[in-house]
Amino acid sequence: MDVLQELETRREAARLGGGEKRIAAQHSKGKLTARERIELLLDDGSFEEFDMFVAHRCTDFGMEKDRPAGDGVVTGWGTINGRLVYVFAQDFTVMGGSVSETHGQKICKIMDMAVQNGAPIIGINDSGGARIQEGVASLAAYGEIFQRNITASGVVPQISLIMGPCAGGAVYSPAMTDFIFMVKDSSYMFVTGPDVVKTVTNEHVTAEELGGAGTHTKKSSVADGAFENDVEALAEARRLIDFLPLNNRQKAPVRPFFDDVNRVEESLDTLVPDNPNMPYDMKELITKLADEGDFYEIQEEFAKNILTGFIRMEGSTVGVVANQPMVLAGCLDIDASRKAARFVRFCDAFEIPLLTLVDVPGFLPGTSQEYAGVIKHGAKLLYAYGEATVPKVTVITRKAYGGAYVVMASKHLAGDFNYAWPTSEIAVMGAKGATEIIHRADLNDPEKLAQHTQDYEDRFANPFVAAEKGVIDEVIMPHSTRKRVCRAFASLRTKQVTTPWKKHDNIPL
Amino acid sequence: MFKKILIANRGEIACRVIKTARKMGIKTVAIYSDADRNALHVKMADEAVHIGPPPANESYIVIDKVMAAIKQTGAEAVHPGYGFLSENPKFADALNAAGVAFIGPPKGAIEKMGDKITSKKIAQEADVSTVPGYMGLIEDAEDAVKISNEVGYPVMIKASAGGGGKGMRIAWNDDEAREGFQSSKNEAASSFGDDRIFIEKFVTQPRHIEIQVLADGHGNAVYLHERECSIQRRNQKVIEEAPSPFLDEATRKAMGEQSVALAQAVGYTSAGTVEFIVDGDRNFYFLEMNTRLQVEHPVTELITGVDLVEQMIRVAAGEKLPFAQDDLKINGWAMESRLYAEDPYRGFLPSIGRLTRYRPPMEEATPTRAVRNDTGVFEGGEISMYYDPMIAKLCTWAPDRATAIEEMRLALDGFELEGIGHNLPFLAAVYDHPKFTSGKMTTAFIEEEYPDGFEGVTLDESACQRIAAAAAAMHRVAEIRRTRISGRMDNHERHVGDDWVVTLQGASHDVTITADRSGADVSIGGQSLRVESDWAPGDPLARLMVDGAPLVLKIGKISGGFRVRYRGADLKVHVRTPRQAELAALMPEKLPPDTSKYLLCPMPGLIVKIDVSEGDEVQEGQALCTIEAMKMENILRAERKGTVKMINAGAGDSLAVDEVIMEFE
């Protein structure tokens, strides 16, 4: 009886974390507690906790007098819509969620389990940082977590939810996970905080400006999305998990869908405007191709000239990369290349087929791009597409110019299906620029130049030259694109590719 | 009968005329500008002729170009639609000279009725009741004051060539008469190139009621009863109906007979409309006669069964009217809603762009109900800046007014329209307004009931409960689908519960669902509502039966629930488990970002000029800048006193919605 009594008492104490007062403080900041967050993240009643009674072993600075059960992190596993996931949630009410040796060990334990059993790891970060009293033991804990992040990378999906502070070395664990989501106004991430920044550089900056959700989703691209509050962030994390395979040996999940595979969208026939210089919204195409118009966008607020995210076709996940003509004419630049490259590599690592929608006038010119290394960054996207062995379907809607054409999942980078709309123009560059080079002698004769431009347009402002050479598999009508793409992916379900042995590649980082 | 006719118009009216012509076995020719290359009327017509660049004054209203198209195609007659060349005597002349029939009235009638002063004189001579007023031209401001006193205040000062509210002022005293005369005159001169002004009695509690007439070339003329068009915004009709809820049999007959008398007095043939203003005591006064087919003609067709376009064509071909006055009875009630590409949440500013989704309710006609949708657009089409921003005319018919209104509410709920701002929520709100449903509206309805513009509506408790029940049932279905994903841990699947908390319009509703094969019983607020629907997750439109009554909701995606559009409301509806709801209640309420320090561009458009400079102190209501959109110049004014801190745009800049034009300190 005594043991049962003690078990109950200990459990109660553990569940209370840092106590009612600290829970109230956490709530007053608009934040939920670690356990509440796990409750919202997982299916009702599915959470099974590990290491509830683990306590730290530090004896310095009087720490031995305060050994709360769980040591500032709640770990375990459960299900999301019936599918296995592993989770850890740092508990800010217990010693500020600071990372001790044992805290780290708890996280490592479930990470090891996740890799062994092939299930995603979801980390909820809300921590003041290292437990300073423990010194190097705390840093070691971080190091152990980092190593596991790296081992797990490409094996199981890793998702980080930043729901409070995440500063200093702690940022590098989320940084190595596949997706980072933040909560607006109550989370921040930085390597050095505002105080240090002020001392060292004399810059005055708030925590929110330095590392808030806005900063990381719009400027730094560290985070992949930002949500209004904890409840929304956790609901959207569930939604993301529904798109992802549990590990790299599984196909992406399939779920029942209520959409017509053969759905015809007549309105797509007028999506591309008559005037080649007029923009249009590529998101309309994505949502009209997707099952039920559902598009889970990744990095929506960053490098808006390229769109990345997940849709479903016939109920199974497809990763979409699309140039967005509404922003910077849809050109590729450093940010767009980095954003899309990382997304493509994630999809390839986890067997998620890739759909690429192309309307690209080229790479953004200028010293700022060249000095910042657009060559290497642009190469990342080229490389990512070229090494990807997942099913690759590409649809050119309008412009596909120059090197950017090759980069955007062209036939030459082992594209499986390369379709073009009748409005597509596949050429080295726009007609005007091309003419000025080919017919340099006539530069001072506007009439002749206009004629040359017209000739060039007649020759290349259509998909037929490319189709004649077989680099476009077929010219398809916009209204039947959904059906054609669905069929293409269906035919690629058994795709197999062998590549030469290598230890690993050497992507231009 | 003609073998081929040309329609000298575009948009819905061109499509409307083509439909009837096709029914009569007549070939049709469309004309189109560059902007209309892919337009619906071009696709519908047997032939189409390109007639120039987008602006109407370089294409649709250039008589020579239209005449060339007639010659090229060999059309024997021309239907002008409304607007453009429909009331242009020169066009009638040109057709006459070319020996082509004009499907409309004789040129003489157009001319006589085209001028407000002449038409009023003719009306008086034909014993048509006219508004007391001074028919002569007014010399100067003092003359205006003298005449105003003779007519008696309040008076209306109007431009002779006016229309659409331009050059119109109301004066309640001498000062206002003096001022009104001058501004009317200036406006008339700049808008119409004709600064003649007249003054008449201003009618109180006015209702706009008009009589449809039809006359043939054999001396027969009839009236097809009235239409009430009192729901107007800035003199632009928004909702029309037939018959009028206000007229009695005697007034109807008197108005009809006077209208026929007027038509005969000017030798009218074809379809025409005599507009009256009717005061609170059912005194009616002649306003003007429109010598063309009216936009709102479908409501008359729905209650009389007469195809007005067909009769116009037959009359133009010399046929006799196939009916006499006694044959024309009023059958049931018809409502018409004009869907405009105008954003009601932004002061009805025009909204142009691509219709990413356009799914009108299905047209049908049965003995107990009818839905009709006259349109010239299609999904994927463009609402262009060059023409009238009307998207469609949605009509419903039923045996009585209340049912016709209910049919309209359902039709609007089921009308899917995305990509541009539009007035559908506003229309829906009017159909729920007690003053409208009781039929007690005047032409001031919108001004009086929505003085500060439209900000959506608040639904009552019963509507909220019905929506909450529907949302819970739909959410449950969507959640169950999520549990059917592949890769589950066998035997450890997620179980979706029956208890939910639905939050909308700031209130929470506890809901329990008992589902069966054909639907669900949803207990909410102490009652049980039966919810049945074939809605599937992802459907943007949910047609449900809730407790035996239809409920049609437009469904959008938001985290943890649905965006629901219903009637005039646009709601965020969250559906959560009780525990989720408990935790969600802990989340801080976040206020939308404060934009009061910014002047944001309210519509896509071109900056014509900036009226202030950085550092200027501005007063409330002061003009800040002018934006041109859809050929309309819109002046943006300061909402409060302040100082201009920074100006981010200049004349000639083309801006998108919500771009910052200037910042205040």
Side-chain angles (χ1 to χ4, degrees), chain B residues 500-525:
Chain B
W500 301 93
V501 178
V502 185
T503 316
L504 71 154
Q505 243 178 225
S508 289
H509 303 259
D510 291 332
V511 162
T512 302
I513 298 175
T514 315
D516 53 54
R517 278 182 172 279
S518 60
D521 293 312
V522 181
S523 94
I524 178 169

mmCIF file of all heavy atoms in Angstrom, chain B residues 500-525:
data_model
loop_
_atom_site.group_PDB
_atom_site.id
_atom_site.type_symbol
_atom_site.label_atom_id
_atom_site.label_comp_id
_atom_site.label_asym_id
_atom_site.label_seq_id
_atom_site.Cartn_x
_atom_site.Cartn_y
_atom_site.Cartn_z
ATOM 1 N N TRP B 500 -18.121 18.552 -28.127
ATOM 2 C CA TRP B 500 -17.339 19.616 -28.737
ATOM 3 C C TRP B 500 -17.767 20.959 -28.176
ATOM 4 O O TRP B 500 -18.879 21.103 -27.668
ATOM 5 C CB TRP B 500 -17.552 19.637 -30.268
ATOM 6 C CG TRP B 500 -17.160 18.359 -30.926
ATOM 7 C CD1 TRP B 500 -17.977 17.302 -31.209
ATOM 8 C CD2 TRP B 500 -15.847 17.976 -31.356
ATOM 9 N NE1 TRP B 500 -17.258 16.288 -31.799
ATOM 10 C CE2 TRP B 500 -15.951 16.677 -31.910
ATOM 11 C CE3 TRP B 500 -14.602 18.609 -31.343
ATOM 12 C CZ2 TRP B 500 -14.854 15.994 -32.431
ATOM 13 C CZ3 TRP B 500 -13.514 17.942 -31.868
ATOM 14 C CH2 TRP B 500 -13.639 16.642 -32.400
ATOM 15 N N VAL B 501 -16.852 21.900 -28.297
ATOM 16 C CA VAL B 501 -17.184 23.283 -27.937
ATOM 17 C C VAL B 501 -16.989 24.117 -29.199
ATOM 18 O O VAL B 501 -15.904 24.106 -29.779
ATOM 19 C CB VAL B 501 -16.281 23.806 -26.801
ATOM 20 C CG1 VAL B 501 -16.619 25.253 -26.488
ATOM 21 C CG2 VAL B 501 -16.428 22.935 -25.565
ATOM 22 N N VAL B 502 -18.038 24.771 -29.626
ATOM 23 C CA VAL B 502 -17.954 25.577 -30.841
ATOM 24 C C VAL B 502 -17.944 27.047 -30.444
ATOM 25 O O VAL B 502 -18.784 27.496 -29.675
ATOM 26 C CB VAL B 502 -19.148 25.301 -31.772
ATOM 27 C CG1 VAL B 502 -18.978 26.052 -33.082
ATOM 28 C CG2 VAL B 502 -19.284 23.806 -32.037
ATOM 29 N N THR B 503 -16.966 27.768 -30.953
ATOM 30 C CA THR B 503 -16.858 29.189 -30.640
ATOM 31 C C THR B 503 -17.092 30.002 -31.900
ATOM 32 O O THR B 503 -16.465 29.755 -32.929
ATOM 33 C CB THR B 503 -15.448 29.521 -30.101
ATOM 34 O OG1 THR B 503 -15.082 28.514 -29.180
ATOM 35 C CG2 THR B 503 -15.424 30.865 -29.411
ATOM 36 N N LEU B 504 -18.022 30.929 -31.834
ATOM 37 C CA LEU B 504 -18.204 31.870 -32.938
ATOM 38 C C LEU B 504 -18.810 33.152 -32.413
ATOM 39 O O LEU B 504 -19.540 33.128 -31.418
ATOM 40 C CB LEU B 504 -19.070 31.284 -34.066
ATOM 41 C CG LEU B 504 -20.557 31.080 -33.855
ATOM 42 C CD1 LEU B 504 -21.281 31.122 -35.190
ATOM 43 C CD2 LEU B 504 -20.817 29.759 -33.194
ATOM 44 N N GLN B 505 -18.521 34.221 -33.049
ATOM 45 C CA GLN B 505 -19.027 35.540 -32.687
ATOM 46 C C GLN B 505 -18.827 35.829 -31.204
ATOM 47 O O GLN B 505 -19.683 36.388 -30.541
ATOM 48 C CB GLN B 505 -20.516 35.620 -33.037
ATOM 49 C CG GLN B 505 -20.806 36.679 -34.084
ATOM 50 C CD GLN B 505 -22.266 36.759 -34.489
ATOM 51 O OE1 GLN B 505 -22.546 36.846 -35.649
ATOM 52 N NE2 GLN B 505 -23.182 36.759 -33.572
ATOM 53 N N GLY B 506 -17.680 35.353 -30.671
ATOM 54 C CA GLY B 506 -17.338 35.656 -29.293
ATOM 55 C C GLY B 506 -18.047 34.817 -28.244
ATOM 56 O O GLY B 506 -17.869 35.043 -27.057
ATOM 57 N N ALA B 507 -18.864 33.846 -28.652
ATOM 58 C CA ALA B 507 -19.563 33.023 -27.668
ATOM 59 C C ALA B 507 -19.249 31.546 -27.896
ATOM 60 O O ALA B 507 -18.981 31.132 -29.019
ATOM 61 C CB ALA B 507 -21.061 33.250 -27.752
ATOM 62 N N SER B 508 -19.286 30.779 -26.805
ATOM 63 C CA SER B 508 -19.012 29.342 -26.898
ATOM 64 C C SER B 508 -20.304 28.555 -26.748
ATOM 65 O O SER B 508 -21.179 28.923 -25.979
ATOM 66 C CB SER B 508 -18.052 28.925 -25.782
ATOM 67 O OG SER B 508 -16.783 29.435 -26.066
ATOM 68 N N HIS B 509 -20.401 27.481 -27.509
ATOM 69 C CA HIS B 509 -21.577 26.614 -27.442
ATOM 70 C C HIS B 509 -21.106 25.190 -27.161
ATOM 71 O O HIS B 509 -20.293 24.657 -27.909
ATOM 72 C CB HIS B 509 -22.331 26.628 -28.777
ATOM 73 C CG HIS B 509 -22.757 27.998 -29.205
ATOM 74 N ND1 HIS B 509 -24.037 28.473 -29.053
ATOM 75 C CD2 HIS B 509 -22.062 29.020 -29.772
ATOM 76 C CE1 HIS B 509 -24.116 29.709 -29.516
ATOM 77 N NE2 HIS B 509 -22.924 30.064 -29.959
ATOM 78 N N ASP B 510 -21.623 24.593 -26.089
ATOM 79 C CA ASP B 510 -21.320 23.183 -25.812
ATOM 80 C C ASP B 510 -22.238 22.324 -26.665
ATOM 81 O O ASP B 510 -23.445 22.540 -26.702
ATOM 82 C CB ASP B 510 -21.553 22.874 -24.329
ATOM 83 C CG ASP B 510 -20.519 23.576 -23.467
ATOM 84 O OD1 ASP B 510 -19.401 23.814 -23.963
ATOM 85 O OD2 ASP B 510 -20.830 23.908 -22.314
ATOM 86 N N VAL B 511 -21.617 21.339 -27.319
ATOM 87 C CA VAL B 511 -22.341 20.571 -28.310
ATOM 88 C C VAL B 511 -22.060 19.086 -28.099
ATOM 89 O O VAL B 511 -20.925 18.706 -27.801
ATOM 90 C CB VAL B 511 -21.856 21.002 -29.721
ATOM 91 C CG1 VAL B 511 -22.236 19.975 -30.759
ATOM 92 C CG2 VAL B 511 -22.401 22.369 -30.079
ATOM 93 N N THR B 512 -23.086 18.267 -28.197
ATOM 94 C CA THR B 512 -22.880 16.815 -28.195
ATOM 95 C C THR B 512 -23.490 16.237 -29.470
ATOM 96 O O THR B 512 -24.626 16.569 -29.825
ATOM 97 C CB THR B 512 -23.532 16.164 -26.961
ATOM 98 O OG1 THR B 512 -22.975 16.771 -25.794
ATOM 99 C CG2 THR B 512 -23.247 14.670 -26.928
ATOM 100 N N ILE B 513 -22.719 15.397 -30.144
ATOM 101 C CA ILE B 513 -23.167 14.856 -31.422
ATOM 102 C C ILE B 513 -23.530 13.383 -31.262
ATOM 103 O O ILE B 513 -22.755 12.590 -30.735
ATOM 104 C CB ILE B 513 -22.056 14.988 -32.484
ATOM 105 C CG1 ILE B 513 -21.730 16.470 -32.714
ATOM 106 C CG2 ILE B 513 -22.482 14.327 -33.795
ATOM 107 C CD1 ILE B 513 -20.586 16.713 -33.652
ATOM 108 N N THR B 514 -24.717 13.016 -31.738
ATOM 109 C CA THR B 514 -25.081 11.619 -31.840
ATOM 110 C C THR B 514 -25.272 11.327 -33.323
ATOM 111 O O THR B 514 -26.257 11.753 -33.923
ATOM 112 C CB THR B 514 -26.400 11.329 -31.082
ATOM 113 O OG1 THR B 514 -26.320 11.984 -29.805
ATOM 114 C CG2 THR B 514 -26.604 9.846 -30.902
ATOM 115 N N ALA B 515 -24.273 10.681 -33.894
ATOM 116 C CA ALA B 515 -24.290 10.507 -35.340
ATOM 117 C C ALA B 515 -24.904 9.171 -35.731
ATOM 118 O O ALA B 515 -24.814 8.191 -34.989
ATOM 119 C CB ALA B 515 -22.871 10.600 -35.887
ATOM 120 N N ASP B 516 -25.555 9.155 -36.873
ATOM 121 C CA ASP B 516 -26.020 7.898 -37.444
ATOM 122 C C ASP B 516 -25.675 7.903 -38.925
ATOM 123 O O ASP B 516 -24.953 8.785 -39.393
ATOM 124 C CB ASP B 516 -27.528 7.727 -37.204
ATOM 125 C CG ASP B 516 -28.306 8.937 -37.678
ATOM 126 O OD1 ASP B 516 -28.146 9.316 -38.859
ATOM 127 O OD2 ASP B 516 -29.067 9.522 -36.874
ATOM 128 N N ARG B 517 -26.210 6.976 -39.685
ATOM 129 C CA ARG B 517 -25.796 6.846 -41.081
ATOM 130 C C ARG B 517 -26.169 8.051 -41.935
ATOM 131 O O ARG B 517 -25.464 8.419 -42.856
ATOM 132 C CB ARG B 517 -26.450 5.602 -41.687
ATOM 133 C CG ARG B 517 -25.670 4.363 -41.338
ATOM 134 C CD ARG B 517 -26.274 3.137 -41.966
ATOM 135 N NE ARG B 517 -25.392 2.006 -41.758
ATOM 136 C CZ ARG B 517 -24.329 1.763 -42.502
ATOM 137 N NH1 ARG B 517 -24.038 2.545 -43.512
ATOM 138 N NH2 ARG B 517 -23.555 0.731 -42.241
ATOM 139 N N SER B 518 -27.309 8.670 -41.642
ATOM 140 C CA SER B 518 -27.770 9.725 -42.551
ATOM 141 C C SER B 518 -27.507 11.135 -42.032
ATOM 142 O O SER B 518 -27.783 12.107 -42.718
ATOM 143 C CB SER B 518 -29.261 9.538 -42.834
ATOM 144 O OG SER B 518 -29.970 9.622 -41.625
ATOM 145 N N GLY B 519 -26.960 11.249 -40.851
ATOM 146 C CA GLY B 519 -26.705 12.585 -40.336
ATOM 147 C C GLY B 519 -26.376 12.531 -38.869
ATOM 148 O O GLY B 519 -25.795 11.559 -38.391
ATOM 149 N N ALA B 520 -26.754 13.581 -38.149
ATOM 150 C CA ALA B 520 -26.423 13.636 -36.737
ATOM 151 C C ALA B 520 -27.472 14.439 -35.993
ATOM 152 O O ALA B 520 -28.025 15.404 -36.530
ATOM 153 C CB ALA B 520 -25.052 14.275 -36.552
ATOM 154 N N ASP B 521 -27.736 13.991 -34.758
ATOM 155 C CA ASP B 521 -28.532 14.815 -33.850
ATOM 156 C C ASP B 521 -27.542 15.570 -32.996
ATOM 157 O O ASP B 521 -26.701 14.975 -32.328
ATOM 158 C CB ASP B 521 -29.431 13.937 -32.980
ATOM 159 C CG ASP B 521 -30.499 13.248 -33.811
ATOM 160 O OD1 ASP B 521 -31.149 13.958 -34.611
ATOM 161 O OD2 ASP B 521 -30.657 12.023 -33.687
ATOM 162 N N VAL B 522 -27.652 16.880 -33.047
ATOM 163 C CA VAL B 522 -26.683 17.698 -32.330
ATOM 164 C C VAL B 522 -27.406 18.394 -31.193
ATOM 165 O O VAL B 522 -28.335 19.177 -31.422
ATOM 166 C CB VAL B 522 -26.053 18.741 -33.268
ATOM 167 C CG1 VAL B 522 -25.022 19.568 -32.511
ATOM 168 C CG2 VAL B 522 -25.409 18.068 -34.472
ATOM 169 N N SER B 523 -26.997 18.086 -29.982
ATOM 170 C CA SER B 523 -27.647 18.777 -28.866
ATOM 171 C C SER B 523 -26.849 20.027 -28.534
ATOM 172 O O SER B 523 -25.628 20.009 -28.398
ATOM 173 C CB SER B 523 -27.794 17.836 -27.664
ATOM 174 O OG SER B 523 -26.710 18.007 -26.795
ATOM 175 N N ILE B 524 -27.574 21.127 -28.475
ATOM 176 C CA ILE B 524 -26.943 22.431 -28.276
ATOM 177 C C ILE B 524 -27.941 23.352 -27.592
ATOM 178 O O ILE B 524 -29.112 23.401 -27.973
ATOM 179 C CB ILE B 524 -26.471 23.030 -29.628
ATOM 180 C CG1 ILE B 524 -25.860 24.414 -29.439
ATOM 181 C CG2 ILE B 524 -27.590 23.070 -30.667
ATOM 182 C CD1 ILE B 524 -25.138 24.943 -30.660
ATOM 183 N N GLY B 525 -27.471 24.029 -26.558
ATOM 184 C CA GLY B 525 -28.316 24.993 -25.862
ATOM 185 C C GLY B 525 -29.655 24.428 -25.424
ATOM 186 O O GLY B 525 -30.685 25.083 -25.536
#
